[in-house]
Amino acid sequence: MTQPAGQPYEYRRRTLVEPDWTRFPGWRDVTEAQWQSAQWQRVNCVKNVKQLRAVMGDLLDESFYTDLETDQQRLATMSMLIPPQMVNTMVPDRVPDTESFYADPIRRYMLPVATDRHLDWPSHPHATRDSLHEHDMWVAEGLTHRYPTKVLAELLSTCPQYCGHCTRMDLVGNSTPTVDKLKLTLKPVDRYDAHLTYLKAHPGVRDVVVSGGDVANVPWKQLEAYLMGLLSVPTVRDIRLATKALMGLPQHWLQPDVVEGLHRVAITAQRRGVNLAVHTHVNHVNSLTPLVAQAAQTLLEVGVRDVRNQGVLMRGVNATTADLLDLCFGLQGEAGILPYYFYMCDMIPNAEHWRVPVWHAQQLQHDMMGYLPGYATPRIVCDVPFVGKRWVHMVAEYDREHGISYWTKNYRTSIEQNDDEALSKLHAYYDPIDTLPQTGQDWWRKQEAAAAS
């Protein structure tokens, strides 16, 4: 008898587990009370090679530390900052060794090493520090007006954790040997006042994404005051708080003063008919633990309307159908977080080893369909410079050989108000060169040689 062919993806429920942090030599004596303390987590973040050694003991070969140090000195666009909560989700099911630590998907984007990167093409020739031109579109310090009805408010330039692929590497985090970071210069209170002044003067803006950095690093009283200020603007109807720390440092969002304060904000939002949501950034199912689910559930219980996930599509991390579906089922079914977007990794320096070509993203979107509930099926989007988010199937033209896709848009950004051709131009986005056929790679080498001559 012919056996059933089976499905390309087989769903298996995966309940959430908090990995045993005492498997790391440096945390052998850490108590549960310490682990659940946001202050302990912040104090014990891994910020350099010496601190990583202290956690790992003799589990990793010296070659790994040399590889990491080389990356930090020559290639990294972000400094090292990883809470214990995130380190603990690396090789979560056993005591790590060098091979398993190298292969771990969370390590690959939170703790990149030099041999991860593509030395032939570490950066695309069109890569830029501020690849989305958010700084160019500032209408006040830290306030980007890119879409007609929406603004991005960058309240600060720090996070509780730094992702290696950060799209705001131009601003966020400490300077590295390769990147001298942009600095916010105004006092926070003056920056926040400037944001509110702009919003009151522009009633066409109804949606504010409150980000940074990560809002978990804003002292709660300051953040609450800012949010109450937004809620006092009658034309603001949507507020979204952006925090990877919901996953990277869930202990922060479980602190009593934060929970109580967010409840006050949520009640005020409900009374004024404003949609208050939290957006987090989870890239792999291993990052989901009971503490993350508890934090997400707490946000919903105090009155936040939705908790949603915006992941980033990255090779070596999650760029397979199984990886994405495992993550989405974990988010929606176990953690109470709605899968929302997966962004293609932006064209920042030294990120080519993470980026995927447009055709790969299109295939992944195709292959995810039909498994998840419709409302929990995320869209894969390409954030095209000067255009914005576009579903990956919305490409207008696509030169697969040279890896150049062309995109259109239907609105002007804040820097194109007097540009009569803004809505008729084609805007280019570029596939990673190592994914092109040999003829395409050769063409780019000739372009590079011509530019250098």
Side-chain angles (χ1 to χ4, degrees):
M1 179 181 291
T2 303
Q3 294 295 317
Q7 298 292 351
Y9 173 83
E10 297 287 345
Y11 168 72
R12 296 286 186 274
R13 185 180 178 190
R14 171 177 172 161
T15 57
L16 303 185
V17 176
E18 209 72 49
D20 178 12
W21 57 84
T22 65
R23 72 190 187 281
F24 294 102
W27 295 332
R28 200 155 280 156
D29 299 321
V30 173
T31 66
E32 185 172 358
Q34 288 175 305
W35 192 262
Q36 293 182 2
S37 163
Q39 182 178 2
W40 185 91
Q41 289 279 332
R42 289 182 184 271
V43 168
N44 289 278
C45 282
V46 173
K47 298 183 285 291
N48 53 52
V49 171
K50 180 180 178 181
Q51 291 176 346
L52 183 64
R53 286 181 190 271
V55 172
M56 293 294 174
D58 60 0
L59 298 179
L60 304 181
D61 292 344
E62 186 63 30
S63 58
F64 179 85
Y65 296 111
T66 300
D67 205 358
L68 177 59
E69 188 66 47
T70 300
D71 192 77
Q72 286 286 303
Q73 292 299 318
R74 300 181 184 177
L75 296 164
T77 59
M78 298 298 294
S79 56
M80 196 187 307
L81 183 64
I82 313 173
Q85 176 74 24
M86 288 203 73
V87 175
N88 194 40
T89 60
M90 299 177 188
V91 196
D93 57 346
R94 60 191 185 279
V95 175
D97 57 18
T98 303
E99 182 179 2
S100 61
F101 202 65
Y102 261 116
D104 185 81
I106 297 168
R107 194 285 307 163
R108 284 181 180 271
Y109 82 90
M110 289 300 300
L111 200 62
V113 294
T115 56
D116 289 340
R117 307 198 192 250
H118 293 164
L119 298 184
D120 284 350
W121 296 102
S123 302
H124 195 280
H126 289 281
T128 57
R129 287 174 46 145
D130 182 15
S131 67
L132 302 181
H133 303 278
E134 290 178 339
H135 180 226
D136 295 336
M137 300 178 196
W138 276 6
V139 291
E141 185 179 81
L143 190 68
T144 297
H145 193 172
R146 188 180 180 198
Y147 299 97
T149 62
K150 299 181 281 187
V151 292
L152 166 71
E154 296 166 311
L155 298 193
L156 76 173
S157 60
T158 66
C159 301
Q161 66 287 303
Y162 291 139
C163 307
H165 63 281
C166 181
T167 190
R168 297 196 186 113
M169 47 74 60
D170 186 49
L171 172 70
V172 171
N174 302 316
S175 294
T176 72
T178 58
V179 181
D180 187 20
K181 305 280 177 131
L182 180 69
K183 301 294 183 184
L184 296 170
T185 59
L186 292 178
K187 294 179 180 178
V189 64
D190 295 331
R191 187 180 316 120
Y192 304 165
D193 285 347
H195 292 185
L196 293 175
T197 299
Y198 183 83
L199 290 170
K200 291 173 183 176
H202 292 81
V205 177
R206 61 174 307 283
D207 185 352
V208 182
V209 178
V210 185
S211 185
D214 189 313
V215 295
N217 268 17
V218 182
W220 179 257
K221 288 184 178 179
Q222 287 186 25
L223 181 58
E224 184 172 348
Y226 183 85
L227 296 175
M228 290 300 193
L230 292 181
L231 289 168
S232 73
V233 181
T235 48
V236 172
R237 312 310 299 153
D238 276 280
I239 298 174
R240 295 180 271 172
L241 306 181
T243 174
K244 186 184 180 74
L246 183 63
M247 174 274 287
L249 189 67
Q251 294 86 349
H252 170 81
W253 292 104
L254 290 168
Q255 294 177 109
D257 63 324
V258 175
V259 173
E260 293 164 8
L262 192 57
H263 181 60
R264 290 190 293 269
V265 173
I267 292 299
T268 304
Q270 289 173 1
R271 288 172 178 166
R272 299 184 182 180
V274 175
N275 299 307
L276 177 68
V278 169
H279 285 190
T280 192
H281 174 187
V282 186
N283 291 323
H284 196 274
V285 68
N286 288 355
S287 293
L288 298 173
T289 75
L291 273 172
V292 176
Q294 182 185 351
Q297 184 60 38
T298 299
L299 296 183
L300 295 171
E301 288 174 354
V302 301
V304 171
R305 173 178 168 168
D306 291 301
V307 180
R308 309 179 186 120
N309 186 63
Q310 297 184 152
V312 176
L313 196 60
M314 288 179 282
R315 283 189 280 178
V317 178
N318 58 15
T320 71
T321 305
D323 284 334
L324 292 179
L325 287 174
D326 284 350
L327 172 54
C328 290
F329 280 118
L331 288 164
Q332 190 265 343
E334 309 300 331
I337 300 172
L338 186 70
Y340 178 40
Y341 279 145
F342 281 102
Y343 289 84
M344 296 178 66
C345 186
D346 291 320
M347 291 175 49
I348 57 170
N350 298 336
E352 290 302 275
H353 65 294
W354 284 309
R355 296 201 309 119
V356 302
V358 169
W359 63 263
H360 188 161
Q362 291 174 334
Q363 187 65 49
L364 288 171
Q365 183 74 80
H366 172 277
D367 292 348
M368 277 197 297
M369 301 303 291
Y371 289 94
L372 293 152
Y375 67 88
T377 301
R379 296 169 178 167
I380 299 179
V381 293
C382 183
D383 209 343
V384 182
F386 293 110
V387 175
K389 292 181 287 293
R390 286 293 181 265
W391 304 347
V392 289
H393 285 84
M394 292 175 67
V395 61
E397 299 176 18
Y398 192 8
D399 176 356
R400 286 276 298 270
E401 181 182 8
H402 300 111
I404 308 174
S405 52
Y406 297 93
W407 308 75
T408 59
K409 66 177 180 179
N410 57 323
Y411 50 79
R412 292 179 173 86
T413 65
S414 58
I415 60 174
E416 297 170 316
Q417 296 303 312
N418 298 317
D419 186 349
D420 293 335
E421 299 179 353
L423 305 187
S424 59
K425 294 177 182 176
L426 287 175
H427 298 264
Y429 182 85
Y430 302 92
D431 289 345
I433 293 172
D434 71 285
T435 66
L436 304 182
Q438 192 61 50
T439 53
Q441 295 187 39
D442 291 343
W443 183 83
W444 279 105
R445 288 190 178 92
K446 291 179 182 176
Q447 303 304 307
E448 188 176 47
S453 63

